[in-house]
């Protein structure tokens, strides 16, 4: 299938990522159905898209007519059969739990023809394992977007062990059609982005622990010396120390000691210093 042939798509899960993905799909001309388990989650997702696009119009970044056309193309439902009726693509953005994703992909596989592309936005789970529960696992790929979806350019296209070349190629082209910059990664723990991002983040924490420099100065080394848009410690504060700890623990089980979480990270999480959301992380956010 050619990405230009994608006329209708379903996005499963209307939370942080799902509503962003639905917005970008609708903006690039795809009739998009947003599915969630409760009507108020669907409504909230659609309202978020509307608010984002209104803000875009206010700032002069989105034409009012383009917003209106995208909103026309976007609909919401709590009925899976309605969401996936005659779609060419399904993008899943439900919580990061294997049992939920496996149940969904099992159902999608039994309901949809082999030509329908099934993409998961998982940030860490093995795409191959998700694919293997479905009929025709060759049409399953990872399509890892970044938050906020309408702004962040990167999409990691993850090739599961059984993904077909055609499924990967269509996903790459679809990501481009959505205005994104795709990279292709094999199904390996942490893909490219999390594995490298966490490695740098953990080393920066060990440097704070070893009193090499202050958090501010370590971050400055990377922003001014290496052109990072944000230092690894500030980024950790924004993502959440608890989130980064659980990814590090997972990567440690896969890659061994080089991903062992530093003591300072464990201690901060135990004290409830989770970063910006709790007011304290490597930085003080209370002010
Ligand atoms: P979220 O919690 O904001 O949204 C998940 C949505 O899925 C909720 O609206 C929930 O009601 C719905 N849901 C739960 N079970 C469902 C089911 N069986 N069928 C349909 N909908 C269901 O989660 P978020 O942050 O959007 O994450 C979704 C996925 O995207 C996860 O796999 C996550 O790892 C991944 N991801 C998250 C990023 C982030 O920054 N939040 C970044 C990149 C990937």
């Amino acid at each position: 299938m050619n990405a230009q042939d994608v006329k209708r798509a379903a996005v499963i899960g209307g939370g942080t990522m799902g509503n962003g993905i639905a917005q970008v799909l609708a903006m690039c001309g795809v009739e998009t159905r947003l599915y969630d388990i409760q009507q108020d989650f669907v409504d909230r997702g659609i309202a978020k898209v509307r608010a984002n696009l209104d803000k875009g119009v206010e700032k002069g970044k989105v034409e009012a007519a383009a917003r209106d056309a995208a909103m026309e193309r976007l609909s919401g439902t709590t009925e899976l059969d309605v969401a996936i009726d005659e779609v060419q693509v399904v993008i899943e953005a439900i919580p990061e739990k294997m049992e939920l994703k496996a149940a969904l992909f099992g159902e999608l596989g039994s309901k949809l023809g082999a030509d329908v592309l099934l993409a998961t936005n998982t940030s860490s789970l093995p795409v191959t394992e998700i694919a293997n529960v479905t009929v025709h696992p060759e049409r399953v790929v990872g399509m890892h977007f970044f938050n906020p979806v309408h702004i962040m350019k990167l999409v990691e296209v993850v090739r599961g062990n059984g993904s077909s070349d055609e499924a990967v190629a269509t996903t790459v082209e679809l990501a481009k059609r959505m205005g994104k910059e795709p990279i292709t990664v094999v199904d390996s723990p942490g893909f490219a982005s999390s594995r490298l991002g966490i490695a740098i983040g953990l080393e920066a924490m060990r440097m704070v622990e070893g009193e090499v420099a202050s958090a501010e100065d370590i971050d400055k080394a990377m922003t001014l010396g290496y052109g990072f848009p944000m230092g690894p410690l500030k980024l950790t504060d924004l993502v959440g120390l608890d989130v980064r700890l659980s990814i590090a623990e997972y990567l440690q089980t896969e890659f061994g000691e080089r991903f062992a979480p530093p003591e300072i990270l464990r201690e901060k999480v135990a004290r409830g210093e989770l970063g910006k959301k709790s007011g304290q992380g490597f930085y003080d956010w209370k002010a």
Side-chain angles (χ1 to χ4, degrees), residues 12-18 35-37 41 93-96 100-101 121-123 144-145 147:
I12 311 295
T16 309
M17 298 303 288
Y35 166 86
D36 208 307
I37 44 178
F41 298 157
I94 68 173
E96 189 76 344
L100 287 181
K101 298 203 194 261
N121 184 49
T122 180
S123 43
H144 182 206
F145 291 85
N147 184 17

Side-chain angles (χ1 to χ4, degrees), residues 198-216:
I198 291 285
I200 293 169
L202 296 181
E203 200 55 34
M205 292 172 207
R206 289 186 199 106
M207 287 163 69
V208 175
E209 214 166 42
E211 299 180 354
V212 172
S214 65
E216 287 84 353

Side-chain angles (χ1 to χ4, degrees), residues 44-62:
R44 218 185 297 158
I46 296 211
K48 185 75 201 300
V49 175
R50 172 94 218 179
N52 267 343
L53 289 175
D54 283 347
K55 206 190 278 174
V57 171
E58 255 170 52
K59 287 183 170 169
K61 292 188 172 163
V62 177

Side-chain angles (χ1 to χ4, degrees), residues 95-98 101 122-128 130 187 191 250:
E96 189 76 344
K97 294 207 170 80
M98 184 51 92
K101 298 203 194 261
T122 180
S123 43
S124 63
L125 298 172
V127 172
T128 306
I130 297 172
D187 190 14
F191 311 138
Y250 165 63

Side-chain angles (χ1 to χ4, degrees), residues 2 5 28-29 38 48 55 65 70 89 99 157 164 220 239 269 278 287:
N2 191 309
D5 298 334
C28 78
Q38 278 184 35
K48 185 75 201 300
K55 206 190 278 174
V89 174
E99 64 276 17
V157 176
S164 68
K220 227 183 240 181
V239 172
V269 171
S278 74

Side-chain angles (χ1 to χ4, degrees), residues 112-210:
L112 291 168
D115 52 339
V116 178
L117 181 73
L118 303 181
T120 171
N121 184 49
T122 180
S123 43
S124 63
L125 298 172
V127 172
T128 306
E129 203 175 318
I130 297 172
N132 283 345
V133 300
T134 208
V135 186
H136 298 294
E138 68 278 5
R139 41 66 184 271
V140 178
V141 290
M143 197 175 188
H144 182 206
F145 291 85
F146 290 75
N147 184 17
V149 179
H150 65 292
I151 291 176
M152 299 296 278
K153 281 282 179 199
L154 181 64
V155 171
E156 275 184 304
V157 176
V158 183
R159 178 190 284 273
N161 292 352
S163 305
S164 68
D165 291 344
E166 189 193 352
V168 172
T170 304
T171 310
V172 165
E173 290 309 313
L174 181 62
K176 287 184 188 162
R177 185 176 161 194
M178 293 169 80
K180 301 301 176 195
E181 295 270 355
I183 61 168
T184 313
V185 192
V186 299
D187 190 14
S188 164
F191 311 138
S193 57
S194 301
R195 181 166 164 185
L196 210 44
I198 291 285
I200 293 169
L202 296 181
E203 200 55 34
M205 292 172 207
R206 289 186 199 106
M207 287 163 69
V208 175
E209 214 166 42

